[in-house]
């Protein structure tokens, strides 16, 4: 392969000369891997080894317990050897291997942190750059190539943006300048937790921010199925482009998770800030401020005098903090509240008793004195402090900083301080501060909108609002955009802001003159409990899910099938939309569950079929001729026994049972299917399908697939047929596990990290529906993502596709989504195991 000289950074790595002679031993592989990782500067994430050979170097390339490593090799024999070696180490799953076909890399765009190339390679540079994440590295460690000892570093795209604070940056203007973020159409990655605990209590995820190609947030890692179990709060870092966990730090105490209808302090969203290679956070509810290394999570500095920090800003190298004094009474009240939650029978079980307790807790919190601190971020030196702030209550100070000014909220007043000295510059009674910029500060109250001069606090303009209540304020491209609610047109009394129709107006920032009004058609449902976000192109609303309101055309892209977490919402950054895990049950037939990063349509790989042949024939193709292997009525041939998934059989089972055998298969296991004298079970996370002797439980054979196998195979005329999370369907000879055929059911071979491993964007459930001699297969995650879900009819003997039925909710040509109706239902579908009543095939409720 010949790599052209381009604008990307290409440099000779003399240090890599030491690893070119890597031998077959594991020790040599470990040494070589360490030098590769050091040369690339990679400490974790998603790593690909191209030309993996026997897999020894591949296995050694995993720098942390959370990292995902994927090996590719064109030689099927090498793939088999590599899998055996990695399985012998007990690493298979997090480290896995597959066969490379042609010169296409089976990954989404902007995904790989490190691409290691061994041996001769025909993959072009353009393809490598496509899959590399921004700042990702490709290293070439072979003597056969013209590009010996070189590396490629992918540059960071110019049109993307970070999100360093709760409201984007220190200004408090929740507007990203990311021009790549657009209505979501493709999965970039999926992470845990699958669900939050409950949207009636403290959210499970707080304070999501992003910098340097990473995201950081606070999360409760307790099993979401149990409300009584005490929380396990963590500060977690993930790679922003592939979602791989980089590190975790425990948080000793956080706000109690049972507090009644998300009544926790709003300050919790403002306790994490990430800028450059530093994360600034408090590792506890009353803990002092820490500076952490963004790459490793190690503590770099603990700032003196910062216990009780509630809000954090980073502006021009200065940390501006809102600090509430930590008293013994506050600490005792928090411990009391947390202890109550651990009791089996607690008064917190009912809101009638929980809310009064919360009220007392909040009173204790509100009495503590507050101050504002300004510190040098690097040294921790105190520049100035403003103490004795007479501000009671639980509301945040809503700190923001613009230019050489710092602003905070004091009751109905906005107070301006000098950034360098902390001296008060001006104070004005103008209502609630909504947004600040270089030219002014916009405030609202129930009667008026007021714009103040940032320089001296004088009123620039004031107007009676056109909205019943203003919910959002954005400064976008020099204009002020206000979002809020109209009263109902039904004539009945308006009872609250969240149920009225939402609309936005564009105003001249200097005069308040209305320039444009966008009145989107509201399909019903209340607005969510978070502040909306925006980019320079869209306002991202939260009435149902993540509505993209186009600021130029006024068109609304209703994405009710994806929503953010309570109190925070979503985050637009790095060209992606991040939707943290939620606990909502609305639109459950179509809505995504989990922590999703979603990409827009129009990626380079979109719509391409990178393989000339979808069907691969194995050594057992056409060789399954065993009439005695037909499934009999004593068998359990498919998941839950039959096509209707009844879980019912007419087989007589004795009342008193005794154990005949026990087999240690290992790993997380699926349910089983039984036929032909064998028991079949999938070891889900290490990609293995295992066959055991029905009478003795002794292993008969095992087969390693390309990704997780989530349910057991369907058994049909001597065949074991199963789907895989790599987007393929496999048919094995049931007698010995030999491959008959492998069919790619996914439209394209494109994989992403999902739940900690690599999966296709269009995975296939393990249990294939077999009816009237035809196999029915569903490939896809959502009818709104990655070209939707394809339902295939396949001939089981040959793998021939008989028909394909696409289920895609948006219009394929215009991208417009179907009409939204409800209030709690919408068109669409999610992946699932297919069922049948003998006449129709069903995918969930379709």
């Amino acid at each position: 392969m010949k790599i052209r000289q381009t604008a990307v950074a290409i440099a000779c790595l003399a240090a890599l000369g030491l690893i070119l002679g890597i031998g077959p031993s594991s020790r040599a592989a470990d040494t070589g891997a360490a030098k590769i990782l050091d040369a690339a500067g990679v400490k974790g994430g998603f790593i690909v080894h191209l030309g993996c050979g026997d897999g020894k170097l591949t296995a050694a390339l995993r720098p942390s317990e959370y990292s995902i490593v994927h090996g590719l090799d064109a030689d099927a024999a090498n793939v088999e050897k590599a899998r055996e070696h990695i399985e012998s180490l007990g690493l298979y799953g997090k480290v896995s291997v597959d066969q490379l076909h042609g010169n296409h890399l089976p990954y989404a765009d902007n995904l790989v942190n490190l691409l290691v190339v061994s041996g001769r390679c025909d993959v072009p540079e353009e393809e490598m750059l496509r899959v590399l994440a921004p700042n990702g590295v490709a290293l070439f460690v072979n003597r056969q190539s013209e590009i010996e000892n070189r590396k490629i570093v992918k540059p960071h795209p110019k049109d993307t943006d970070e999100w360093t604070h709760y409201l984007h940056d220190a200004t408090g203007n929740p507007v990203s300048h990311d021009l790549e973020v657009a209505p979501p159409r493709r999965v970039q990655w999926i992470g845990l937790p699958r669900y939050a605990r409950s949207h009636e209590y403290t959210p499970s995820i707080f304070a999501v921010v992003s910098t340097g190609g990473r995201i950081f947030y606070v999360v409760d890692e307790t099993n979401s199925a149990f409300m009584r179990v005490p929380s396990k709060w963590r500060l977690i870092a993930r790679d922003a482009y592939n979602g791989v966990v980089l590190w975790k730090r425990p948080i000793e105490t956080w706000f109690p998770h049972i507090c009644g209808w998300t009544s926790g302090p709003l300050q919790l969203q403002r306790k994490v800030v990430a800028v450059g290679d530093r994360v600034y956070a408090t590792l506890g509810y009353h803990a002092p401020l820490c500076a952490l290394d963004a790459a490793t999570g190690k503590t770099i500095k603990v700032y003196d005098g910062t216990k009780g920090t509630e809000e954090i800003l980073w502006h021009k190298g200065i940390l501006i903090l809102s600090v509430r004094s930590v008293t013994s009474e506050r600490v005792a009240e928090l411990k009391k509240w947390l202890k109550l939650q651990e009791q089996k029978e607690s008064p917190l079980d009912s809101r009638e008793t929980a809310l009064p307790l919360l009220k007392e807790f909040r009173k204790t919190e509100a009495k503590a004195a507050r101050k504002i601190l300004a510190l040098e971020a690097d040294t921790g030196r105190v520049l100035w402090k403003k103490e004795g702030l007479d501000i009671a209550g639980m509301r945040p100070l809503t700190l923001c900083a613009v230019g050489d000014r710092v602003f905070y909220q004091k009751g109905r007043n906005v107070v301006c301080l000098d950034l360098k000295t902390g001296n008060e510059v001006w104070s004005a009674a103008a209502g609630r501060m909504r947004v600040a910029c270089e030219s002014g500060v916009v405030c609202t109250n129930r009667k008026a909108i007021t714009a103040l001069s940032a320089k001296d606090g004088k009123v620039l303009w004031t107007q009676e609002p056109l909205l019943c209540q203003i919910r959002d304020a954005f400064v976008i491209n020099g204009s002020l955009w206000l979002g809020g609610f109209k009263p109902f047109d039904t004539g009945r009394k308006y009872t609250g802001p969240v149920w009225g129709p939402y609309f936005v107006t564009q105003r001249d920032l200097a005069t308040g003159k209305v320039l444009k009004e966008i009145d989107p058609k509201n399909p019903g449902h209340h607005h969510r409990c978070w502040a909306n976000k925006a980019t320079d192109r869209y306002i991202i609303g939260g009435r149902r899910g993540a509505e993209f309101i186009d600021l130029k055309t006024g068109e609304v892209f209703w994405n009710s099938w994806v929503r953010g977490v309570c109190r925070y919402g979503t985050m637009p950054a790095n060209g992606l939309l991040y939707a943290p895990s939620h606990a909502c049950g609305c639109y459950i037939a179509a809505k995504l569950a989990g922590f999703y990063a979603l990409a827009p349509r129009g990626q380079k790989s979109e719509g391409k079929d990178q393989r000339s042949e979808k069907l691969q024939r194995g050594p057992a193709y056409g060789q399954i001729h065993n009439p005695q292997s037909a499934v009999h009525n004593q068998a359990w041939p498919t998941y839950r026994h039959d096509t209707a998934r009844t879980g019912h059989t007419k087989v007589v089972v004795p009342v008193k049972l005794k154990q005949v055998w026990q087999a240690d298969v290992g790993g997380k296991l699926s349910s089983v299917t039984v036929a032909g004298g064998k028991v079949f079970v999938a070891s889900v996370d290490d990609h293995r399908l295992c066959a055991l002797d029905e009478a003795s439980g002794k292993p008969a054979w095992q087969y390693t697939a390309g990704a997780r196998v989530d349910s057991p195979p369907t058994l049909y005329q001597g065949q074991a047929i199963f789907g895989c999370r790599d987007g393929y369907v496999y048919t094995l000879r049931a007698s010995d596990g030999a491959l008959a055929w492998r069919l790619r059911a996914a439209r394209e071979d494109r994989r992403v990290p999902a739940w900690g491993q690599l999966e296709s964007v269009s995975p296939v459930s393990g249990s294939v529906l077999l009816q009237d001699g035809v196999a029915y297969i569903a490939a896809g995650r959502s009818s709104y993502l990655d070209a939707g879900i394809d339902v295939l009819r396949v001939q089981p003997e040959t793998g021939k596709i008989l028909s394909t039925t696409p289920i895609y909710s948006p219009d394929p040509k215009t991208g417009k989504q179907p009409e939204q109706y409800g209030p709690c239902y919408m068109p669409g579908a999610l992946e699932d195991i297919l069922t049948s009543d003998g006449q129709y095939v069903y995918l969930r409720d379709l």
Side-chain angles (χ1 to χ4, degrees), residues 668-695:
K668 173 186 174 183
L669 302 183
S670 71
S671 58
V672 302
T673 51
V674 183
K678 290 185 174 60
V679 176
F680 299 85
V681 63
S683 182
V684 177
D685 289 332
D686 51 7
H687 309 177
R688 283 185 300 122
L689 180 64
C690 303
L692 310 175
D693 181 80
E694 181 183 354

Side-chain angles (χ1 to χ4, degrees), residues 42-102:
V42 173
K43 297 182 179 1
F46 178 37
I47 297 167
V48 172
H49 185 198
L50 195 54
C52 64
D54 60 11
K56 292 180 179 178
L57 177 59
T58 310
L61 281 171
R62 188 170 179 233
S64 76
E65 62 176 308
Y66 306 112
S67 299
I68 298 175
V69 182
H70 195 231
L72 290 172
D73 202 293
D75 189 331
N78 282 345
V79 172
E80 186 174 349
K81 290 179 184 178
R83 285 177 172 173
E84 289 178 358
H85 172 71
I86 298 167
E87 286 171 351
S88 72
L89 300 175
L91 293 176
Y92 211 87
K94 285 285 189 177
V95 182
S96 59
V97 175
D98 213 338
Q99 189 171 2
L100 176 67
H101 297 274

Side-chain angles (χ1 to χ4, degrees), residues 548-612:
F548 276 67
I549 303 172
D550 191 306
L551 300 181
K552 287 186 177 180
T553 66
E555 186 176 8
V556 182
F557 300 89
W558 293 97
N559 303 299
S560 306
W561 45 271
V562 56
R563 62 155 284 177
V565 63
C566 291
R567 287 292 191 177
Y568 179 85
T570 60
M571 178 179 73
N574 307 306
L576 304 169
L577 179 71
Y578 299 90
S581 313
H582 60 80
C584 185
C586 301
Y587 319 112
I588 200 65
K591 192 167 69 248
L592 303 177
F595 196 139
Y596 272 78
L598 299 171
R601 66 185 303 181
Q603 295 184 345
K604 294 178 182 179
S605 60
E606 182 173 2
K608 293 182 179 179
D609 188 347
Q610 294 90 2
R611 296 265 304 283
S612 58

Side-chain angles (χ1 to χ4, degrees), residues 182-183 185 481 502 504 516-521 537-541 546-559 601 810-811 813-818:
R185 289 296 178 269
W481 290 81
Y502 180 85
V504 293
K516 180 188 290 188
E517 180 176 318
I518 299 176
D519 195 353
K521 180 182 178 182
R537 297 173 58 191
Y538 302 97
I539 289 176
I540 306 173
E547 299 90 45
F548 276 67
I549 303 172
D550 191 306
L551 300 181
K552 287 186 177 180
T553 66
E555 186 176 8
V556 182
F557 300 89
W558 293 97
N559 303 299
R601 66 185 303 181
D811 185 294
K813 294 182 179 179
T814 65
K816 291 184 178 181
Q817 299 191 34

